[in-house]
Amino acid sequence: MLALGAMQANILGASGCHNSLRFALEHYLQSITSLRGAVLDSTLARKDSILWSTFFLGLFELLQDASGQKWLQHMVFGTSQALIASGPSACTSGTMRKFFIQARTFEVCRSIIFNQSSFLAAPEWMKVTQNLSEEANIQSRVSVDDILNMIVLCSRLRARTGQFIRTYASFPGVEVPSIDALELATEGFYLRDALETWKLDASFSSAQHNEMLLAMSYYSATSIYLSGNYDYDLHHWQAMTVAVPVLSRDEIVKHVEDILQTTREALRSSTLSPLLHLFPLRVAGARSREHSQRQAVTECLLEVKKQFAVANAMLVELDELWSLSPIQTPLDS
């Protein structure tokens, strides 16, 4: 916590910021050493303290490490693995429940940004997250928990669909089991329907404004992501004569604009962490074809970068992607 506070002071340009940076790095290194000792200490009773430590170290690395690799190391091989080892039953109450709620969003975003299935897609973990959604529903409000559940299912579907398409493309001319293709397409249609049902319910929600800004941004990003699960390989699905739940170009553009609008408003007025906007901004950036859209995505990421250096990795990645895709004018659309 001392390292995080000092790093934040450095970012905000507080007096003696050079000393703040050195202080932050010194305490970060001390924390790493202490964490290693705690992990090796089988007599330590408070295992949840280890989880919180890996989580806070990950946050520090997001503030300081522009590559994002150190954060991945802690989140993938630290926090996520520790949660798996603890088991879902440990995350239903007390400090572990609070920790799960905090860490879950970052795990969800990690899985979808890197197109990797998450342990949260396992039935026993889905039950824990569904309980969170049910608690929100009891309060008669649509919550971001429902969207996070759908993101987890979309990332799992992406991993399965990607493997299926790679196998199909590797053996051209070989007949593939139609039941597998239909099953993957049907699951996509199911998720599309779930997203649209959520959107309809959201119009009657009494959720807080900040939460709804994030939820609507995630809804649009997930809608685009689900379409991308199929439309990037649409020629393969067409060759198999299998209908898939893709969005039209106009629908994608509308979702991109909605992401940019809600993200700008959230960054300007919301108390939510800017980190939470990386996933929708990455999706919007990948589908931005016009100069104004790309400029808006860049401006939002630069705003996030003011606090979290890891946003720079996404800026670099998008610059490389955009260099391969020419800018369109409104007349080209």
Side-chain angles (χ1 to χ4, degrees), residues 24 30 48 124 137 169 172 187 231 239 259 295 305:
Q30 291 175 17
D48 55 340
E124 60 271 22
N137 292 335
E187 188 170 340
D231 62 33
I259 290 171
Q295 184 177 25
K305 185 183 174 183

mmCIF file with all atom_site columns, all heavy atoms in Angstrom, residues 24 30 48 124 137 169 172 187 231 239 259 295 305:
data_model
loop_
_atom_site.group_PDB
_atom_site.id
_atom_site.type_symbol
_atom_site.label_atom_id
_atom_site.label_alt_id
_atom_site.label_comp_id
_atom_site.label_asym_id
_atom_site.label_entity_id
_atom_site.label_seq_id
_atom_site.pdbx_PDB_ins_code
_atom_site.Cartn_x
_atom_site.Cartn_y
_atom_site.Cartn_z
_atom_site.occupancy
_atom_site.B_iso_or_equiv
_atom_site.pdbx_formal_charge
_atom_site.auth_seq_id
_atom_site.auth_comp_id
_atom_site.auth_asym_id
_atom_site.auth_atom_id
_atom_site.pdbx_PDB_model_num
ATOM 1  N N   . ALA A 1 24  ? 8.571   4.449   -3.704  1.00 0.00 ? 24  ALA A N   1
ATOM 2  C CA  . ALA A 1 24  ? 7.614   3.464   -4.208  1.00 0.00 ? 24  ALA A CA  1
ATOM 3  C C   . ALA A 1 24  ? 8.323   2.197   -4.676  1.00 0.00 ? 24  ALA A C   1
ATOM 4  O O   . ALA A 1 24  ? 7.909   1.078   -4.353  1.00 0.00 ? 24  ALA A O   1
ATOM 5  C CB  . ALA A 1 24  ? 6.799   4.066   -5.351  1.00 0.00 ? 24  ALA A CB  1
ATOM 6  N N   . GLN A 1 30  ? 10.527  -4.558  -1.535  1.00 0.00 ? 30  GLN A N   1
ATOM 7  C CA  . GLN A 1 30  ? 10.358  -5.166  -0.214  1.00 0.00 ? 30  GLN A CA  1
ATOM 8  C C   . GLN A 1 30  ? 9.110   -6.050  -0.177  1.00 0.00 ? 30  GLN A C   1
ATOM 9  O O   . GLN A 1 30  ? 9.111   -7.134  0.422   1.00 0.00 ? 30  GLN A O   1
ATOM 10 C CB  . GLN A 1 30  ? 10.261  -4.077  0.856   1.00 0.00 ? 30  GLN A CB  1
ATOM 11 C CG  . GLN A 1 30  ? 11.562  -3.318  1.103   1.00 0.00 ? 30  GLN A CG  1
ATOM 12 C CD  . GLN A 1 30  ? 11.378  -2.171  2.084   1.00 0.00 ? 30  GLN A CD  1
ATOM 13 O OE1 . GLN A 1 30  ? 10.383  -2.116  2.816   1.00 0.00 ? 30  GLN A OE1 1
ATOM 14 N NE2 . GLN A 1 30  ? 12.330  -1.244  2.100   1.00 0.00 ? 30  GLN A NE2 1
ATOM 15 N N   . ASP A 1 48  ? -5.596  -15.282 2.721   1.00 0.00 ? 48  ASP A N   1
ATOM 16 C CA  . ASP A 1 48  ? -6.225  -14.218 1.947   1.00 0.00 ? 48  ASP A CA  1
ATOM 17 C C   . ASP A 1 48  ? -5.327  -12.988 1.856   1.00 0.00 ? 48  ASP A C   1
ATOM 18 O O   . ASP A 1 48  ? -5.413  -12.210 0.910   1.00 0.00 ? 48  ASP A O   1
ATOM 19 C CB  . ASP A 1 48  ? -7.591  -13.855 2.527   1.00 0.00 ? 48  ASP A CB  1
ATOM 20 C CG  . ASP A 1 48  ? -7.525  -13.484 3.998   1.00 0.00 ? 48  ASP A CG  1
ATOM 21 O OD1 . ASP A 1 48  ? -6.539  -13.853 4.652   1.00 0.00 ? 48  ASP A OD1 1
ATOM 22 O OD2 . ASP A 1 48  ? -8.465  -12.831 4.483   1.00 0.00 ? 48  ASP A OD2 1
ATOM 23 N N   . GLU A 1 124 ? -18.596 -24.347 -11.392 1.00 0.00 ? 124 GLU A N   1
ATOM 24 C CA  . GLU A 1 124 ? -18.569 -24.022 -9.966  1.00 0.00 ? 124 GLU A CA  1
ATOM 25 C C   . GLU A 1 124 ? -18.276 -22.544 -9.722  1.00 0.00 ? 124 GLU A C   1
ATOM 26 O O   . GLU A 1 124 ? -18.773 -21.954 -8.757  1.00 0.00 ? 124 GLU A O   1
ATOM 27 C CB  . GLU A 1 124 ? -17.541 -24.898 -9.233  1.00 0.00 ? 124 GLU A CB  1
ATOM 28 C CG  . GLU A 1 124 ? -16.109 -24.763 -9.711  1.00 0.00 ? 124 GLU A CG  1
ATOM 29 C CD  . GLU A 1 124 ? -15.752 -25.712 -10.843 1.00 0.00 ? 124 GLU A CD  1
ATOM 30 O OE1 . GLU A 1 124 ? -16.689 -26.173 -11.538 1.00 0.00 ? 124 GLU A OE1 1
ATOM 31 O OE2 . GLU A 1 124 ? -14.545 -25.990 -11.031 1.00 0.00 ? 124 GLU A OE2 1
ATOM 32 N N   . ASN A 1 137 ? -30.279 -8.500  -8.716  1.00 0.00 ? 137 ASN A N   1
ATOM 33 C CA  . ASN A 1 137 ? -31.649 -8.579  -9.218  1.00 0.00 ? 137 ASN A CA  1
ATOM 34 C C   . ASN A 1 137 ? -32.671 -8.420  -8.098  1.00 0.00 ? 137 ASN A C   1
ATOM 35 O O   . ASN A 1 137 ? -33.761 -7.883  -8.308  1.00 0.00 ? 137 ASN A O   1
ATOM 36 C CB  . ASN A 1 137 ? -31.860 -9.917  -9.935  1.00 0.00 ? 137 ASN A CB  1
ATOM 37 C CG  . ASN A 1 137 ? -31.063 -10.009 -11.225 1.00 0.00 ? 137 ASN A CG  1
ATOM 38 O OD1 . ASN A 1 137 ? -30.727 -8.990  -11.821 1.00 0.00 ? 137 ASN A OD1 1
ATOM 39 N ND2 . ASN A 1 137 ? -30.742 -11.221 -11.639 1.00 0.00 ? 137 ASN A ND2 1
ATOM 40 N N   . ALA A 1 169 ? -9.337  -24.893 -41.214 1.00 0.00 ? 169 ALA A N   1
ATOM 41 C CA  . ALA A 1 169 ? -8.488  -24.259 -42.227 1.00 0.00 ? 169 ALA A CA  1
ATOM 42 C C   . ALA A 1 169 ? -7.244  -25.089 -42.534 1.00 0.00 ? 169 ALA A C   1
ATOM 43 O O   . ALA A 1 169 ? -6.674  -24.980 -43.624 1.00 0.00 ? 169 ALA A O   1
ATOM 44 C CB  . ALA A 1 169 ? -8.079  -22.867 -41.761 1.00 0.00 ? 169 ALA A CB  1
ATOM 45 N N   . PRO A 1 172 ? -8.113  -28.242 -45.673 1.00 0.00 ? 172 PRO A N   1
ATOM 46 C CA  . PRO A 1 172 ? -9.095  -27.833 -46.688 1.00 0.00 ? 172 PRO A CA  1
ATOM 47 C C   . PRO A 1 172 ? -9.583  -29.034 -47.493 1.00 0.00 ? 172 PRO A C   1
ATOM 48 O O   . PRO A 1 172 ? -8.817  -29.935 -47.836 1.00 0.00 ? 172 PRO A O   1
ATOM 49 C CB  . PRO A 1 172 ? -8.300  -26.859 -47.568 1.00 0.00 ? 172 PRO A CB  1
ATOM 50 C CG  . PRO A 1 172 ? -6.866  -27.216 -47.344 1.00 0.00 ? 172 PRO A CG  1
ATOM 51 C CD  . PRO A 1 172 ? -6.779  -27.680 -45.924 1.00 0.00 ? 172 PRO A CD  1
ATOM 52 N N   . GLU A 1 187 ? -24.498 -21.496 -29.856 1.00 0.00 ? 187 GLU A N   1
ATOM 53 C CA  . GLU A 1 187 ? -24.072 -20.864 -28.604 1.00 0.00 ? 187 GLU A CA  1
ATOM 54 C C   . GLU A 1 187 ? -23.899 -19.363 -28.797 1.00 0.00 ? 187 GLU A C   1
ATOM 55 O O   . GLU A 1 187 ? -24.218 -18.568 -27.912 1.00 0.00 ? 187 GLU A O   1
ATOM 56 C CB  . GLU A 1 187 ? -22.770 -21.493 -28.115 1.00 0.00 ? 187 GLU A CB  1
ATOM 57 C CG  . GLU A 1 187 ? -22.364 -21.024 -26.726 1.00 0.00 ? 187 GLU A CG  1
ATOM 58 C CD  . GLU A 1 187 ? -21.221 -21.821 -26.136 1.00 0.00 ? 187 GLU A CD  1
ATOM 59 O OE1 . GLU A 1 187 ? -20.979 -22.960 -26.607 1.00 0.00 ? 187 GLU A OE1 1
ATOM 60 O OE2 . GLU A 1 187 ? -20.565 -21.316 -25.208 1.00 0.00 ? 187 GLU A OE2 1
ATOM 61 N N   . ASP A 1 231 ? -17.128 -13.022 -37.542 1.00 0.00 ? 231 ASP A N   1
ATOM 62 C CA  . ASP A 1 231 ? -16.989 -12.272 -38.799 1.00 0.00 ? 231 ASP A CA  1
ATOM 63 C C   . ASP A 1 231 ? -15.549 -12.184 -39.302 1.00 0.00 ? 231 ASP A C   1
ATOM 64 O O   . ASP A 1 231 ? -15.320 -11.957 -40.491 1.00 0.00 ? 231 ASP A O   1
ATOM 65 C CB  . ASP A 1 231 ? -17.643 -10.890 -38.704 1.00 0.00 ? 231 ASP A CB  1
ATOM 66 C CG  . ASP A 1 231 ? -17.037 -9.973  -37.649 1.00 0.00 ? 231 ASP A CG  1
ATOM 67 O OD1 . ASP A 1 231 ? -15.824 -10.038 -37.400 1.00 0.00 ? 231 ASP A OD1 1
ATOM 68 O OD2 . ASP A 1 231 ? -17.798 -9.169  -37.064 1.00 0.00 ? 231 ASP A OD2 1
ATOM 69 N N   . ALA A 1 239 ? -18.634 -21.026 -46.164 1.00 0.00 ? 239 ALA A N   1
ATOM 70 C CA  . ALA A 1 239 ? -18.297 -22.246 -46.901 1.00 0.00 ? 239 ALA A CA  1
ATOM 71 C C   . ALA A 1 239 ? -18.975 -23.467 -46.284 1.00 0.00 ? 239 ALA A C   1
ATOM 72 O O   . ALA A 1 239 ? -19.312 -24.428 -46.993 1.00 0.00 ? 239 ALA A O   1
ATOM 73 C CB  . ALA A 1 239 ? -16.784 -22.445 -46.923 1.00 0.00 ? 239 ALA A CB  1
ATOM 74 N N   . ILE A 1 259 ? -19.378 3.206   -27.150 1.00 0.00 ? 259 ILE A N   1
ATOM 75 C CA  . ILE A 1 259 ? -18.233 2.972   -26.259 1.00 0.00 ? 259 ILE A CA  1
ATOM 76 C C   . ILE A 1 259 ? -17.478 4.270   -26.022 1.00 0.00 ? 259 ILE A C   1
ATOM 77 O O   . ILE A 1 259 ? -17.134 4.615   -24.885 1.00 0.00 ? 259 ILE A O   1
ATOM 78 C CB  . ILE A 1 259 ? -17.293 1.906   -26.857 1.00 0.00 ? 259 ILE A CB  1
ATOM 79 C CG1 . ILE A 1 259 ? -17.945 0.531   -26.816 1.00 0.00 ? 259 ILE A CG1 1
ATOM 80 C CG2 . ILE A 1 259 ? -15.958 1.874   -26.095 1.00 0.00 ? 259 ILE A CG2 1
ATOM 81 C CD1 . ILE A 1 259 ? -17.183 -0.531  -27.586 1.00 0.00 ? 259 ILE A CD1 1
ATOM 82 N N   . GLN A 1 295 ? -8.775  8.732   -33.356 1.00 0.00 ? 295 GLN A N   1
ATOM 83 C CA  . GLN A 1 295 ? -8.303  9.839   -32.526 1.00 0.00 ? 295 GLN A CA  1
ATOM 84 C C   . GLN A 1 295 ? -8.985  9.814   -31.159 1.00 0.00 ? 295 GLN A C   1
ATOM 85 O O   . GLN A 1 295 ? -8.338  10.031  -30.128 1.00 0.00 ? 295 GLN A O   1
ATOM 86 C CB  . GLN A 1 295 ? -8.578  11.168  -33.225 1.00 0.00 ? 295 GLN A CB  1
ATOM 87 C CG  . GLN A 1 295 ? -8.021  12.380  -32.476 1.00 0.00 ? 295 GLN A CG  1
ATOM 88 C CD  . GLN A 1 295 ? -8.254  13.674  -33.236 1.00 0.00 ? 295 GLN A CD  1
ATOM 89 O OE1 . GLN A 1 295 ? -9.169  13.781  -34.046 1.00 0.00 ? 295 GLN A OE1 1
ATOM 90 N NE2 . GLN A 1 295 ? -7.416  14.669  -32.984 1.00 0.00 ? 295 GLN A NE2 1
ATOM 91 N N   . LYS A 1 305 ? -3.570  6.457   -19.480 1.00 0.00 ? 305 LYS A N   1
ATOM 92 C CA  . LYS A 1 305 ? -2.120  6.366   -19.306 1.00 0.00 ? 305 LYS A CA  1
ATOM 93 C C   . LYS A 1 305 ? -1.593  7.349   -18.268 1.00 0.00 ? 305 LYS A C   1
ATOM 94 O O   . LYS A 1 305 ? -0.542  7.117   -17.663 1.00 0.00 ? 305 LYS A O   1
ATOM 95 C CB  . LYS A 1 305 ? -1.433  6.598   -20.654 1.00 0.00 ? 305 LYS A CB  1
ATOM 96 C CG  . LYS A 1 305 ? 0.077   6.410   -20.633 1.00 0.00 ? 305 LYS A CG  1
ATOM 97 C CD  . LYS A 1 305 ? 0.683   6.724   -21.991 1.00 0.00 ? 305 LYS A CD  1
ATOM 98 C CE  . LYS A 1 305 ? 2.205   6.691   -21.933 1.00 0.00 ? 305 LYS A CE  1
ATOM 99 N NZ  . LYS A 1 305 ? 2.809   7.060   -23.239 1.00 0.00 ? 305 LYS A NZ  1
#
